[in-house]
């Protein structure tokens, strides 16, 4: 039996179409005609020896085999890019100081730093996970080269780029039965009229100073919704634990939510709408040295891939 040799170019078209939700858009992104991409997909199914798509209404969805191949395609394309980067930057040397908020520590840091370290083993990386105020201060003092932070409207270095704009959501435990008993019973008794409830909404938020805390409290006060601080902490991980345990509701973007919490349908329980937040990548210098520029590019790519991969949660 002959060995199957998947074509990376075909796999790129396959994965891009899934990421964009349309092979017409994928063709445009890749600079090909739609018919050329369609021919690539037929070739891929022939190589796989099984159907990768099935009809779903007016569109297509992946079969189990298609889902399996997509996971391998992501790995193969990533490894190919990593190999190319390693060849281009084999002699790259230096030092990069990166700052991130806690939302991204588990979601982005391992994958991005792992790829970077394998491709550029001579570059030293110093990573700092902290809250936005500390990251801003360290960036202004030139103690960081890059910082990935949520935009709070405060003045920062002009060398910044918006990476994504994501909605703030009310976050609760995976099981609604775990919510604070008094508040939940009041909600069940009055339906969605939480604004008229005398039982205050229990909040699980980062301790002050925290711009997000101010946004949440202002939204509730404008809506006339009574609230109370049920749990505060300087640690995002502690907030997720408290939210999962049902001590109250928290607020965050969908980026990096752990499995034991979920976004709550705020309209169903009468909670106010919340604004969107911009995710920014700030740079200490406009013209960065080669190691910083390379990590900058990898970080931007990883964030945008994550946003594209979770359209239902992130848009």
């Amino acid at each position: 039996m002959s060995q199957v040799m998947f074509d990376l170019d075909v796999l790129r078209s396959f994965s891009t179409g899934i990421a964009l939700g349309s092979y017409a858009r994928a063709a445009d992104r890749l600079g090909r005609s739609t018919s050329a991409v369609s021919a690539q997909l037929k070739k891929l199914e022939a190589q796989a020896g099984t159907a990768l798509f099935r009809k779903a209404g007016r569109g297509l969805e992946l079969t189990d085999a298609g889902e399996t191949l997509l996971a391998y395609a992501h790995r193969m394309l990533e490894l190919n890019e990593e190999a190319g980067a390693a060849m281009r930057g084999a002699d790259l040397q230096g030092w990069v100081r990166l700052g991130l908020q806690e939302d991204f520590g588990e979601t982005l840091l391992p994958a991005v730093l792992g790829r970077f370290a394998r491709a550029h083993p001579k570059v030293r990386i110093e990573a700092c996970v902290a809250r936005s105020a500390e990251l801003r201060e360290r960036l202004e003092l030139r103690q960081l080269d890059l910082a990935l932070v949520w935009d709070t409207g405060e003045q920062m270095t002009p060398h910044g780029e918006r990476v994504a704009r994501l909605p703030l959501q009310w976050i609760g435990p995976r099981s609604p039965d775990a919510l604070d008993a008094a508040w939940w019973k009041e909600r069940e008794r009055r339906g969605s009229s939480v604004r008229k409830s005398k039982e205050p909404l229990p909040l699980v938020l980062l301790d002050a100073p925290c711009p997000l805390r101010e946004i949440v409290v202002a939204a509730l006060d404008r809506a006339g919704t009574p609230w109370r601080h049920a749990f505060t902490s300087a640690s995002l991980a502690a907030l997720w634990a408290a939210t999962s345990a049902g001590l109250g509701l928290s607020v965050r973007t969908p980026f990096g939510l752990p499995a034991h919490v979920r976004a709550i349908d705020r309209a169903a329980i009468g909670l106010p709408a919340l604004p969107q937040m911009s995710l920014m990548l700030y740079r200490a210098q406009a013209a960065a040295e080669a190691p910083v520029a390379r990590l900058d590019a990898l970080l931007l790519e990883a964030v945008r891939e994550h946003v594209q991969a979770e359209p239902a949660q992130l848009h």
Side-chain angles (χ1 to χ4, degrees):
M1 182 177 179
S2 61
Q3 185 177 11
V4 176
M5 297 294 290
F6 287 108
D7 186 325
L8 287 175
D9 193 46
V10 174
L11 291 177
R12 189 177 302 280
S13 296
F14 173 55
S15 65
T16 302
I18 297 299
L20 296 179
S22 163
Y23 280 103
R25 287 198 291 269
D28 185 61
R29 170 76 63 86
L30 297 170
R32 293 187 174 88
S33 66
T34 304
S35 60
V37 171
S38 178
Q40 284 186 318
L41 298 179
K42 289 179 181 178
K43 174 183 176 181
L44 187 61
E45 282 195 317
Q47 286 183 322
T50 186
L52 302 177
F53 303 92
R54 57 170 165 258
K55 285 283 186 182
R58 294 183 178 180
L60 297 172
E61 65 180 15
L62 291 176
T63 63
D64 289 344
E67 293 283 1
T68 299
L69 184 58
L70 180 63
Y72 278 107
H74 287 157
R75 289 168 58 188
M76 292 166 70
L77 291 167
E78 183 177 302
L79 188 59
N80 179 75
E81 184 174 333
E82 188 177 306
M87 295 303 98
R88 292 191 301 270
D91 295 325
L92 205 61
Q93 299 184 48
W95 186 27
V96 185
R97 299 163 301 175
L98 170 66
L100 297 164
Q101 290 193 242
E102 200 171 353
D103 309 58
F104 315 110
E106 292 185 9
T107 309
L108 292 178
L109 203 56
V112 171
L113 294 192
R115 287 181 63 187
F116 187 88
R118 288 190 297 272
H120 311 294
K122 297 178 183 178
V123 178
R124 177 184 172 188
I125 302 174
E126 180 182 296
C128 168
V129 176
R131 292 171 69 172
S132 61
E134 180 181 345
L135 294 176
R136 284 196 299 272
E137 181 180 355
R138 295 188 65 173
L139 192 70
E140 290 166 1
L141 294 173
R142 297 295 180 93
Q143 296 173 353
L144 292 174
D145 299 303
L146 299 169
L148 188 66
V149 299
W150 295 110
D151 180 22
T152 58
E154 299 180 49
Q155 185 65 35
M156 282 197 67
T157 172
H159 312 310
E161 178 179 352
R162 180 193 286 178
V163 184
R165 189 163 174 79
L166 307 177
L168 286 174
Q169 296 182 332
W170 294 97
I171 308 298
R174 176 59 58 182
S175 169
D177 295 336
L179 280 169
D180 176 90
W183 179 79
W184 195 247
K185 286 179 181 178
E186 182 78 0
R187 179 264 175 196
E188 289 179 328
R189 186 164 62 249
R190 295 176 179 266
S192 64
S193 301
V194 178
R195 286 186 289 268
K196 300 178 182 179
S197 170
K198 294 182 180 179
E199 186 63 39
L201 170 68
L203 295 177
V204 175
L205 299 171
L206 291 174
D207 55 18
C210 174
L212 184 54
R213 179 187 179 113
E214 297 169 6
I215 291 172
V216 173
V217 168
L220 290 171
D221 287 345
R222 283 195 301 271
T225 303
W227 56 271
R228 65 181 176 87
H229 285 305
F231 183 91
T232 63
S233 173
S235 165
L236 184 59
L239 258 60
W240 292 145
T243 304
S244 177
L247 298 189
L249 297 186
S250 191
V251 170
R252 213 71 185 173
T253 74
F255 203 116
L257 288 186
H260 51 280
V261 300
R262 66 185 175 92
I264 299 293
D265 181 359
R266 63 103 190 158
I269 52 178
L271 291 175
L274 296 169
Q276 292 187 326
M277 292 194 76
S278 292
L279 178 58
M280 306 291 295
L281 180 62
Y282 286 102
R283 305 165 179 95
Q285 301 180 63
E289 295 182 358
V292 176
R294 177 57 188 153
L295 184 56
D296 182 318
L298 276 180
L299 200 58
L300 284 173
E301 180 185 349
V303 171
R304 286 166 176 159
E305 284 180 354
H306 186 88
V307 170
Q308 284 184 344
E310 301 291 344
Q313 285 84 3
L314 296 175
H315 295 292

